[in-house]
Amino acid sequence: MTKRLLPLLLWLLMFVPAAAATAATAAAAEPPDRLIERLSNEILERIRTDAALKAGDRKKLDELVDNTVMPHVDFRRMTALSVGRNWRTATPEQQQQLMDEFRALLIRTYAGALSSVADQKVRMRPLRANPQDTDVIVRSEVVQPRGEPIQLDYRMARRTDGWKIYDVNVLGVWLVETYRTQFAQEVSTGGIEGLIRSLSEKNRQPAANGKT
């Protein structure tokens, strides 16, 4: 079940790009649910109207992910949570290597998942949070042309430069929890260095669809 849901988790996270630089101030003051809704619609429209992205051009998809998705993610926190308790035993150099390799892996995986975006729509659910909260769960549903809506929740934290995502949940499965299980198995057999090597090897493999 984990293997089946992971690509879906990664694909759904693609709905969260960074705002343009000219809108950075507005985004910082925007409520988290409004931010998700607005940016979701923007990224869907961009994919629909860009022929290269729609065709699965891996270079453009990688650039899209790196330039638009990653700036809206609290990446250090996501990496630390995914590595779990083993993060505290890693040296600063190892932590940086883990962040670099994990980031590269997510970019590759996200870029591949983007090609499945078509006629989906996002429907927001009421935000159950107080104005002073700095850590919230934004709940939504992905409405598909066929089939039942897909539950999609975001864990978000408020930072000085706006709300950042540090985890995503689909059908009751959290992205960080999925990775934590996988990474713990790697560390148990090869230590932190073994996990770094495993991530590095995955990142050197050719893209699944072969497009560049």
Side-chain angles (χ1 to χ4, degrees):
M1 181 177 181
T2 296
K3 291 182 179 179
R4 181 173 62 85
L5 289 176
L6 183 56
L8 181 59
L9 285 165
L10 297 175
W11 168 76
L12 289 170
L13 192 56
M14 291 309 91
F15 285 144
V16 192
T22 54
T25 301
E30 197 170 14
D33 55 336
R34 299 282 181 84
L35 180 65
I36 293 293
E37 182 177 29
R38 177 173 62 81
L39 296 177
S40 297
N41 291 327
E42 287 178 7
I43 194 66
L44 283 172
E45 183 63 20
R46 181 170 176 184
I47 293 173
R48 290 191 191 105
T49 57
D50 189 308
L53 291 174
K54 198 170 185 180
D57 185 306
R58 284 307 298 259
K59 183 176 180 180
K60 288 202 68 172
L61 287 170
D62 286 353
E63 290 174 354
L64 174 66
V65 173
D66 197 18
N67 296 330
T68 64
V69 177
M70 291 305 175
H72 258 286
V73 175
D74 186 341
F75 193 72
R76 181 178 182 85
R77 184 173 184 181
M78 179 178 282
T79 306
L81 290 173
S82 297
V83 177
R85 58 188 178 87
N86 295 300
W87 178 261
R88 296 190 297 272
T89 66
T91 66
E93 292 77 13
Q94 289 174 326
Q95 290 180 352
Q96 186 60 54
Q97 286 180 294
L98 285 168
M99 289 177 62
D100 292 343
E101 296 294 348
F102 188 35
R103 177 186 174 89
L105 179 64
L106 290 179
I107 289 175
R108 284 167 51 89
T109 309
Y110 291 173
L114 271 175
S115 60
S116 65
V117 175
D119 298 322
Q120 293 82 2
K121 297 180 181 179
V122 173
R123 180 168 60 206
M124 305 304 298
R125 299 177 63 187
L127 178 65
R128 297 178 179 178
N130 298 314
Q132 68 272 19
D133 288 344
T134 58
D135 198 296
V136 301
I137 296 179
V138 175
R139 304 183 188 278
S140 67
E141 294 177 331
V142 177
V143 182
Q144 307 178 92
R146 293 179 296 275
E148 294 295 320
I150 300 170
Q151 172 196 349
L152 173 60
D153 304 330
Y154 300 92
R155 279 191 174 128
M156 303 181 69
R158 179 155 50 194
R159 300 288 181 260
T160 56
D161 57 344
W163 289 91
K164 303 290 184 183
I165 296 171
Y166 66 91
D167 203 357
V168 123
N169 172 16
V170 134
L171 300 176
V173 178
W174 288 98
L175 176 67
V176 163
E177 183 179 347
T178 300
Y179 273 121
R180 185 184 296 133
T181 300
Q182 296 178 4
F183 290 175
Q185 293 173 350
E186 296 283 354
V187 174
S188 67
T189 58
I192 292 294
E193 288 296 326
L195 174 58
I196 295 172
R197 284 194 302 271
S198 176
L199 291 172
S200 179
E201 290 170 0
K202 288 184 176 70
N203 289 329
R204 290 198 301 268
Q205 295 173 0
N209 61 10
K211 295 182 180 180
T212 59

